[in-house]
Amino acid sequence: MENMPRIAELKEGEPVNEVFQLRRKQLSVSKNGNPYLVLRLGNKTGEIEGKMWEDVGSVEDIENGDFVRIKGMITTFHGNKEINIKELTRIDHDAVDISEFLPSAERSIEEMLSELRNHINSVGNYYLHTLLLSFFEDEEFMSAFKRSPAAKGMHHVFIGGLLQHTLEVTSLCRDIAEHFDLDRDILITAAILHDIGKIHEFVYDTHIDYSTEGRLIGHITLGIEEIDRKINSLPGFPEEKAILLKHMVLSHHGYYEFGSPRRPKTVEALVLYYLDDLNAKVSCIKSFMEKEGVKAGGWSSYHKILERYLYRTQRTDDREQTAEERAEVDDS
């Protein structure tokens, strides 16, 4: 297959003749009453919207996750790039390299797992340590955990995303636990297990989407079920530890309106909520700017989820001061 185009680098007025993966298909009606299709198209470099104004019925049998060759032109609508689609042809799955369409973690999976195992080995409480080992020595669980994304559209939306997000949140919790003198063992354990339900919440074989379980039950409840099963297999697991741990998982979205069955009621649960949210939002903003190719001092397009435009600041270490400039600062 030809070289994969970087979606952020597509320019207005450029012709398009490329293979994309169909991520979403929606039938709409124009002001004059004519039907048209809005398609969300993607590859491992990002996503772009396409609009098809004619021959709408020709794509009736094409489903989310299918691969399509798109011929058309890059246009701009309300400041966002999109493809004006003139022709669309379905491509057989066997004719494409799936890895070109599913984004994956830039860091080595094994390297991240090694760091996470170090966090597990640092947990001193026997029961919490044993609980963590019961997950990470489970081959079926680990096979899914290493590949699962952390979300569908917000943050860490790539193969290995759940592992990377888990490692980042756990590292933050380790540092904050020391700073505030918190229960380090329960905080690290909850950080590692808070999103494990996502291995069931998403499908991620040919494309990333919600599973039926994910839509009907959600990762928080699915995660609690996993934790319950493991705890029930460990004789003598302290009831209070189990309750505190499950409370942290149940409350890690912070508020009822964000999907948490409970709000955080311990300081460790509160810390987990804030650090999980912080990591998700920082990842979301950084990946959005990267996909759009936003340079320092530039603005992104409107971010629909965060409901704002985003500005990329100039880092102070992006430019080294000369000796003369430093001397001038010192003199002043």
Side-chain angles (χ1 to χ4, degrees):
M1 186 172 292
E2 65 268 28
N3 291 334
M4 183 67 57
R6 284 189 59 82
I7 287 177
E9 295 174 359
L10 296 174
K11 305 245 181 339
E12 184 176 8
E14 282 185 349
V16 174
N17 182 4
E18 304 289 352
V19 175
F20 295 95
Q21 187 177 49
L22 178 62
R23 304 281 170 82
R24 188 177 68 246
K25 180 175 69 172
Q26 179 181 340
L27 181 65
S28 296
V29 179
S30 65
K31 291 181 179 178
N32 59 13
N34 294 324
Y36 70 96
L37 279 173
V38 180
L39 307 178
R40 195 69 183 170
L41 305 163
N43 58 32
K44 70 186 302 179
T45 73
E47 294 186 342
I48 188 170
E49 197 163 89
K51 291 192 174 75
M52 189 168 179
W53 302 93
E54 299 176 358
D55 201 19
V56 171
S58 66
V59 299
E60 185 175 347
D61 295 332
I62 298 177
E63 304 292 341
N64 291 349
D66 284 346
F67 300 96
V68 290
R69 178 169 291 280
I70 298 292
K71 294 182 180 181
M73 184 74 69
I74 300 295
T75 61
T76 301
F77 182 69
H78 288 172
N80 296 317
K81 288 183 295 187
E82 59 182 39
I83 304 175
N84 185 355
I85 301 171
K86 299 300 184 182
E87 185 179 330
L88 182 152
T89 308
R90 187 180 182 278
I91 303 294
D92 195 282
H93 280 230
D94 294 336
V96 302
D97 180 356
I98 298 294
S99 66
E100 294 294 336
F101 295 88
L102 282 179
S104 57
E106 293 184 359
R107 292 193 63 190
S108 159
I109 295 295
E110 291 308 315
E111 180 183 288
M112 290 191 288
L113 277 175
S114 177
E115 290 183 26
L116 196 59
R117 289 190 186 101
N118 288 337
H119 287 303
I120 292 171
N121 291 335
S122 75
V123 173
N125 179 274
Y126 168 79
Y127 291 101
L128 294 177
H129 183 246
T130 303
L131 175 63
L132 290 171
L133 290 180
S134 73
F135 279 104
F136 285 83
E137 292 175 354
D138 182 330
E139 291 185 6
E140 184 178 353
F141 169 81
M142 286 305 297
S143 176
F145 183 78
K146 289 191 294 186
R147 284 186 48 78
S148 177
K152 181 178 182 293
M154 179 66 172
H155 66 99
H156 298 86
V157 189
F158 48 80
I159 299 302
L162 176 58
L163 170 59
Q164 183 171 322
H165 170 61
T166 299
L167 176 59
E168 290 170 352
V169 173
T170 303
S171 297
L172 290 169
C173 285
R174 173 203 60 195
D175 296 341
I176 290 296
E178 182 177 345
H179 182 81
F180 287 112
D181 191 25
L182 305 179
D183 184 335
R184 183 182 181 280
D185 283 354
I186 196 75
L187 186 53
I188 287 178
T189 303
I192 292 173
L193 299 180
H194 78 284
D195 269 348
I196 59 171
K198 288 183 176 179
I199 69 171
H200 303 300
E201 185 172 39
F202 299 108
V203 293
Y204 36 92
D205 46 1
T206 61
H207 66 295
I208 295 173
D209 203 348
Y210 286 101
S211 65
T212 299
E213 284 180 292
R215 292 188 186 280
L216 294 180
I217 301 175
H219 75 274
I220 291 180
T221 301
L222 292 168
I224 290 295
E225 291 176 350
E226 290 280 351
I227 291 169
D228 262 335
R229 275 194 290 269
K230 293 294 188 183
I231 286 178
N232 290 337
S233 71
L234 301 175
F237 197 98
E239 183 179 1
E240 184 177 5
K241 289 289 185 191
I243 292 172
L244 289 173
L245 175 61
K246 289 190 285 186
H247 168 71
M248 293 177 72
V249 174
L250 286 168
S251 65
H252 80 265
H253 278 197
Y255 296 91
Y256 301 134
E257 57 266 36
F258 295 157
S260 268
R262 287 290 180 267
R263 292 179 297 175
K265 293 183 175 68
T266 68
V267 65
E268 288 81 11
L270 190 70
V271 164
L272 177 61
Y273 157 62
Y274 277 117
L275 294 182
D276 177 51
D277 186 63
L278 174 66
N279 180 253
K281 285 191 168 60
V282 168
S283 170
C284 173
I285 291 171
K286 290 176 73 173
S287 63
F288 185 68
M289 288 189 171
E290 178 67 24
K291 287 177 182 177
E292 294 214 329
V294 180
K295 305 297 184 185
W299 285 92
S300 73
S301 63
Y302 189 76
H303 195 294
K304 294 180 180 179
I305 298 177
L306 296 178
E307 299 179 322
R308 71 199 73 177
Y309 296 93
L310 297 163
Y311 180 77
R312 185 164 189 168
T313 56
Q314 177 81 36
R315 289 164 56 110
T316 55
D317 58 1
D318 282 347
R319 177 176 169 275
E320 293 292 334
Q321 283 184 315
T322 66
E324 292 78 7
E325 288 173 328
R326 288 196 296 271
E328 288 179 6
V329 172
D330 292 340
D331 290 342
S332 64

